[in-house]
Amino acid sequence: MKKRVFSGIQPTGNIHIGNYLGAIRNWVASQDEFDNIFCIVDLHAITVPQDPKMLHTKIRELAGLLLACGIDMEKSVLFVQSHVKEHAELAWILNCYIPMGWMQRMTQFKEKSAKQKEQVSVGLFDYPALMAADILLYDTDVVPVGADQKQHIELTRDVAERMNSMYGDVFKVPEPFIPKVGARIMSLKEPTKKMSKSDEHADASIHLLDEPDAIRKKIARATTDSLREIRFDENRPGVNNLLVIYQLFTNKSQEEIEAHFEGKGYADLKRELSEVVIEGLAPVQQRYAEITRDPAFIENLLKENADKVRPIAERTVSRVKEKIGLG
Ligand code: ATP
Ligand code: LTN
């Protein structure tokens, strides 16, 4: 029996190379090794205001992009969270077992609520309970994510363990998988902040569908520092971030990369990095154009895939209800 992987991604904004290098690429790489379920988390997306038409479109676009990145329907399931109603049902139950204090410690809520201009919803506060439900519904072993999600997975483990100790084996307790390199790709403009879909600065993120010229411009404008030497050094976040992106797109070692750039300047680094990123994204963009030629293909695929996982989710919810005495 293969171990089960589950991960999710929000259909908001534009997918960037942080999502790709920190998460999606690893999902693709380990598809053979695991039994994989990937979820487009639209219920998470509505924790902040969304335009209905746009949200609908973004869900399909994201599905197309994930397939273009290499998520393979022979090896993995890709579905939309709101197509399986058990996500919301289990989230409610988990809510009743998560102490307020645990939720109040979540740094993502603190950051996102501080940024929100509109009223902050209860859903945004409750986001981690829904994420825990996503993971626990499928008896997940491993959750591959970027570093920003570590705290949410710890909360998932905590609530699973809490209910297991109250009722006997209710849930499998999942482990996070966070890559050693690329777990936190930084904003090109403010390299002490993570690259983020919701960043207002147009040059902060490289999107998977960006044209070559846009990529060149954004990298050319990336914040560096006033030093000269091109070296991996976390104390120089701008240059370090560019080098990490270069490393992930070329699969070269840090030593090789430092030797390659010895005696060269930041303009060389930026020029070479641009070409490497453009080349790395070209096949994804090409496949995306092919896949989206037939919109019915994605629509059917999402429906069929939800039908595949729904029975697993239903079984888990029945088990939980029975254990806690519901119904
Ligand atoms: P936002 O910042 O607007 O909340 P996001 O960019 O974090 O959105 P998500 O859909 O929430 O996007 O994340 C999808 C996956 O990408 C998650 O596994 C997350 O950890 C990962 N991820 C997001 N940003 C980065 C980043 N800068 N570096 C590495 N991984 C990232
Ligand atoms: N919160 C995650 C998205 C997400 C997720 C999940 C990731 C929702 N449910 C379950 C892993 C497992 C984020 O990336 N911001």
Side-chain angles (χ1 to χ4, degrees):
M1 276 276 281
K2 287 181 175 174
K3 285 193 171 180
R4 170 152 304 143
V5 154
F6 182 97
S7 201
I9 182 161
Q10 300 190 70
T12 50
N14 289 318
I15 302 296
H16 50 74
I17 58 169
N19 303 130
Y20 180 63
L21 300 172
I24 302 168
R25 219 171 74 129
N26 303 314
W27 305 353
V28 171
S30 64
Q31 278 179 114
D32 285 321
E33 190 184 335
F34 298 105
D35 170 13
N36 316 282
I37 304 179
F38 301 116
C39 185
I40 297 177
V41 292
D42 56 347
L43 296 172
H44 278 108
I46 62 164
T47 56
V48 296
Q50 300 292 343
D51 172 71
K53 259 211 181 112
M54 181 72 111
L55 178 59
H56 186 87
T57 305
K58 283 282 169 193
I59 292 169
R60 275 84 197 154
E61 180 187 299
L62 177 55
L65 267 172
L66 292 171
L67 297 176
C69 286
I71 299 295
D72 181 344
M73 290 302 94
E74 300 286 316
K75 301 172 185 166
S76 304
V77 178
L78 173 64
F79 77 106
V80 179
Q81 190 183 32
S82 66
H83 291 180
V84 178
K85 60 180 172 25
E86 283 70 19
H87 288 256
E89 192 174 1
L90 183 59
W92 174 258
I93 295 175
L94 296 179
N95 269 327
C96 301
Y97 293 87
I98 298 174
M100 281 292 282
W102 293 5
M103 289 292 218
Q104 280 159 341
R105 283 199 290 272
M106 294 295 114
T107 53
Q108 181 176 292
F109 174 74
K110 289 184 207 165
E111 285 164 14
K112 289 204 172 179
S113 56
K115 267 201 257 167
Q116 271 273 128
K117 294 181 193 82
E118 279 113 318
Q119 271 180 24
V120 173
S121 72
V122 177
L124 187 65
F125 181 68
D126 199 33
Y127 183 114
L130 180 59
M131 178 160 163
D134 298 342
I135 297 168
L136 298 176
L137 269 181
Y138 299 99
D139 298 327
T140 302
D141 295 286
V142 187
V143 189
V145 282
D148 60 322
Q149 296 304 311
K150 188 163 182 264
Q151 199 185 26
H152 290 161
I153 297 173
E154 270 156 19
L155 184 135
T156 303
R157 290 170 53 87
D158 288 345
V159 68
E161 277 166 358
R162 180 161 203 240
M163 290 182 74
N164 285 350
S165 70
M166 290 168 81
Y167 302 108
D169 281 347
V170 188
F171 294 118
K172 179 169 266 180
V173 181
E175 300 281 345
F177 171 82
I178 296 167
K180 285 198 187 73
V181 183
R184 199 169 156 82
I185 299 295
M186 310 310 274
S187 152
L188 297 182
K189 292 315 283 182
E190 287 177 78
T192 49
K193 279 181 17 190
K194 86 167 184 109
M195 190 176 281
S196 160
K197 292 209 212 89
S198 41
D199 200 311
E200 279 162 14
H201 204 302
D203 290 336
S205 317
I206 296 174
H207 303 129
L208 296 198
L209 294 178
D210 275 352
E211 304 270 345
D213 273 346
I215 296 176
R216 289 192 190 101
K217 249 186 229 146
K218 288 179 184 179
I219 294 181
R221 291 174 186 159
T223 305
T224 50
D225 54 39
S226 55
L227 302 173
R228 297 178 67 91
E229 215 185 339
I230 299 178
R231 235 178 345 100
F232 285 89
D233 179 354
E234 284 180 8
N235 296 320
R236 293 166 56 195
V239 173
N240 196 68
N241 191 39
L242 298 182
L243 285 170
V244 166
I245 298 171
Y246 186 90
Q247 181 184 6
L248 290 164
F249 274 105
T250 59
N251 293 317
K252 289 188 179 149
S253 70
Q254 298 201 347
E255 294 73 26
E256 271 179 279
I257 294 170
E258 288 180 349
H260 175 76
F261 284 111
E262 180 139 26
K264 296 189 183 176
Y266 290 167
D268 300 306
L269 169 62
K270 287 179 167 182
R271 202 171 327 109
E272 290 194 38
L273 175 63
S274 299
E275 297 318 308
V276 157
V277 174
I278 290 167
E279 207 176 294
L281 295 183
V284 175
Q285 299 185 350
Q286 226 163 14
R287 278 197 296 268
Y288 180 77
E290 284 159 26
I291 289 164
T292 49
R293 231 171 264 150
D294 175 14
F297 169 72
I298 288 185
E299 210 58 51
N300 291 336
L301 178 146
L302 291 175
K303 192 180 168 300
E304 282 168 19
N305 276 255
D307 292 344
K308 276 192 209 160
V309 291
R310 191 174 296 108
I312 311 174
E314 284 170 350
R315 246 179 282 136
T316 305
V317 168
S318 303
R319 182 177 78 221
V320 174
K321 282 176 149 178
E322 195 189 307
K323 289 270 191 191
I324 67 180
L326 285 174

